Amino acid sequence: MKDTVDRVRYILRSNTFDVTELERLRREAVPLSDENAAAEDAAPQLAEQTANVNAAVNTPVVVDSNDDRTVAQELELEQMRSTLEEVIVEMRSTPLENRPRLPRLALSKRNRAVVRAMNPIMVTYLEASRDLCETDSILFEAALAVCHIIGAKLSTAERATGQSSAIPTWRIRIRIEERIAKARALLGRLICFRSGNTRPTIVRTVRMAFAGTNSDQKRLYKSLERPIVSGTGPAPNQADTVAFWRSLWLEPVNHNEGPWTEVVASQCAGIMPMDPVIITPDDVAEVVRRAPNWKSPGLDGLHHYWLKVLMVCHAVLARQFQEALNQKSLPSLFTTGITHLVPKDQGATDPSKYRPITCLPHTHSI
C-alpha cells in the first residue's frame, strides 16, 4: 500500500494527468465500498492534499501564478463541489434583483484553472436541468462559486430597482480624467506600433484595443471620442416619462391594412418554406465566441464571459434552445429586461428625447 501511495503522490506532482482525468481515474479505481479502507491507508496523503487545497482556495488573485495544471490540481474537486452546492441552496431562494453583481475577472492563469476545474463539476447539475431557466440559474451559481473560490470581491448593490444615488459631479469629473489618461496611454502605444515597435506588450495592447472591432480603425477612434451625456444633466419628470411610454405600449391601436397587403401575400405564396433549423452545440459555441465578454447583463446578472468559459453548458443550451424553437415559446425570464433611458441630447428633459435601451439576459440573445 505504501508503494501505491507513493506512486499516487508522484503522479500528482509530475502533472501527468489533468484534473478531469484524475477525477475519472479516482472514481474507477476506488469503488464506493472500498473508499473508507483506502482513506485510512492514505490519511497522510489526504492531510497533505487538504492543506494544499486550503492554501490554494485562500490565495488572493495573482496574475503571475504557477503553471495552470499545477494550480488546478491543488484545487480539491470535492471542496469546489461543496462551494457550488452552498451557492445553489442560497441563490435558489434569492430574487433575481437581489443577486450579487458578478465582477469582471482578471484573465490570470489561476482564474482560468479554477474555471476549467469547475466545468466537469457542473455536468451532473446541467444534465438534471429541466428548462432554460434552471440552466441559466446553474450557470450563474457556478460563476458565483468561482468568484468565491478565487476570492473576488462581490457587490451587493441593487441592479434593477433604480434606487442608487446619483453620481456626484466630482466623481464624474474624475472618471472623465481617468478616461482621458487611459486614452492617451492607448494612443501612445498605437503610435509606437505604427512606427514598427512590435514588443509583446505593445502588440498585446493593440490586439485588445481592436478586439470586437474587426480591425476597424474608424470604429476604434470613434469609440474613444464618443461623448458622455448620461447622468450629467437633469432627469425628465417620472410621471411624464411613464405617461409617454404608456401611450406607446399599453393603449390599443387599430390599424387599417391597405390593399397592398393582399399583393404582398400573393407574391409570397410561391416562396418555398425554409428548411427546419437544427441548433447544435457548435452553433452555440460560435455565437458565444464572438460575443463581448463583459457587456451589461440582464435580470439574471450573467455575462457572456461565463457562457464562453463554462463550455459544458453548450450542449445543454443547444438542446433546450431547440425545444424552445419547436414549441415556439420562451420563459418569461428571457423576455423581461432592464430598460435604461439614454438621453439623445445633453440636458434633455423631454421623455421623447430619450432612447430606451433594454438589457435582456445574454442567454436569450444567444
Side-chain angles (χ1 to χ4, degrees):
M1 180 59 70
K2 182 178 184 300
D3 292 339
T4 303
V5 172
D6 290 340
R7 183 170 293 275
V8 169
R9 184 182 292 110
Y10 170 78
I11 291 174
L12 289 174
R13 291 179 177 176
S14 62
N15 301 331
T16 306
F17 304 105
D18 60 21
V19 68
T20 305
E21 186 68 12
L22 285 174
E23 174 70 4
R24 184 185 67 79
L25 291 174
R26 185 191 69 81
R27 292 181 178 177
E28 292 180 357
V30 184
L32 184 61
S33 59
D34 296 335
E35 283 188 352
N36 293 335
E40 294 177 0
D41 293 326
Q45 174 68 10
L46 290 176
E48 179 183 350
Q49 290 181 5
T50 303
N52 291 338
V53 169
N54 293 334
V57 170
N58 296 324
T59 301
V61 178
V62 180
V63 175
D64 295 325
S65 62
N66 296 329
D67 182 78
D68 286 4
R69 292 179 298 175
T70 303
V71 176
Q73 289 168 3
E74 291 177 351
L75 296 171
E76 176 64 45
L77 289 179
E78 293 301 327
Q79 180 68 27
M80 294 182 66
R81 185 178 290 107
S82 176
T83 301
L84 176 59
E85 291 177 352
E86 291 175 2
V87 171
I88 290 176
V89 171
E90 179 184 0
M91 287 295 104
R92 291 299 167 92
S93 59
T94 301
L96 289 177
E97 61 272 14
N98 292 339
R99 284 180 174 180
R101 290 187 179 186
L102 296 175
R104 296 189 179 193
L105 298 188
L107 301 180
S108 66
K109 292 182 178 179
R110 181 174 184 273
N111 291 356
R112 290 196 297 266
V114 174
V115 171
R116 279 199 295 271
M118 181 61 70
N119 269 276
I121 297 176
M122 294 175 57
V123 172
T124 302
Y125 303 95
L126 289 172
E127 288 177 348
S129 174
R130 295 165 294 182
D131 52 36
L132 278 169
C133 286
E134 187 170 356
T135 299
D136 190 85
S137 294
I138 293 171
L139 290 171
F140 179 87
E141 290 149 3
L144 186 57
V146 169
C147 292
H148 285 321
I149 292 170
I150 67 177
K153 185 177 180 180
L154 298 173
S155 172
T156 57
E158 298 293 336
R159 294 183 290 107
T161 58
Q163 296 177 353
S164 59
S165 59
I167 302 175
T169 304
W170 64 268
R171 187 178 295 276
I172 294 174
R173 185 177 297 111
I174 290 177
R175 290 184 178 180
I176 293 175
E177 292 174 353
E178 292 175 350
R179 183 181 176 83
I180 292 173
K182 291 180 180 179
R184 284 176 175 170
L186 173 59
L187 289 174
R189 295 201 172 190
L190 291 175
I191 292 173
C192 291
F193 179 76
R194 187 174 182 180
S195 302
N197 188 333
T198 57
R199 288 187 304 168
T201 55
I202 299 296
V203 174
R204 183 165 57 249
T205 301
V206 173
R207 287 177 177 173
M208 293 178 63
F210 284 101
T213 64
N214 294 324
S215 300
D216 186 344
Q217 297 184 26
K218 181 178 179 181
R219 180 178 175 185
L220 170 64
Y221 292 121
K222 186 176 181 180
S223 68
L224 294 175
E225 298 171 356
R226 68 179 184 270
I228 302 176
V229 297
S230 58
T232 59
N237 179 272
Q238 183 175 359
D240 294 341
T241 303
V242 172
F244 174 78
W245 290 104
R246 178 177 285 121
S247 66
L248 293 178
W249 294 107
L250 297 184
E251 295 180 3
V253 177
N254 295 322
H255 297 282
N256 294 322
E257 303 293 356
W260 64 270
T261 57
E262 298 179 1
V263 176
V264 173
S266 62
Q267 292 174 345
C268 295
I271 297 177
M272 296 295 294
M274 65 182 293
D275 295 332
V277 175
I278 305 299
I279 303 175
T280 67
D282 289 339
D283 294 332
V284 176
E286 176 60 20
V287 174
V288 172
R289 184 187 64 81
R290 292 185 279 107
N293 280 349
W294 303 108
K295 186 178 179 181
S296 297
L299 280 172
D300 60 349
L302 191 66
H303 300 88
H304 277 133
Y305 170 80
W306 299 106
L307 295 168
K308 289 183 181 182
V309 297
L310 300 176
M311 296 176 291
V312 293
C313 74
H314 294 169
V316 177
L317 286 177
R319 173 174 56 81
Q320 293 178 341
F321 286 159
Q322 188 71 56
E323 294 172 355
L325 183 64
N326 296 340
Q327 297 170 2
K328 301 179 181 179
S329 176
L330 277 174
S332 60
L333 169 64
F334 302 118
T335 56
T336 304
I338 306 171
T339 300
H340 302 271
L341 297 178
V342 181
K344 301 177 183 178
D345 302 306
Q346 190 160 357
T349 58
D350 184 351
S352 65
K353 300 297 182 182
Y354 279 72
R355 180 182 296 106
I357 303 295
T358 301
C359 295
L360 292 173
H362 291 325
T363 311
H364 170 271
S365 64
I366 290 171

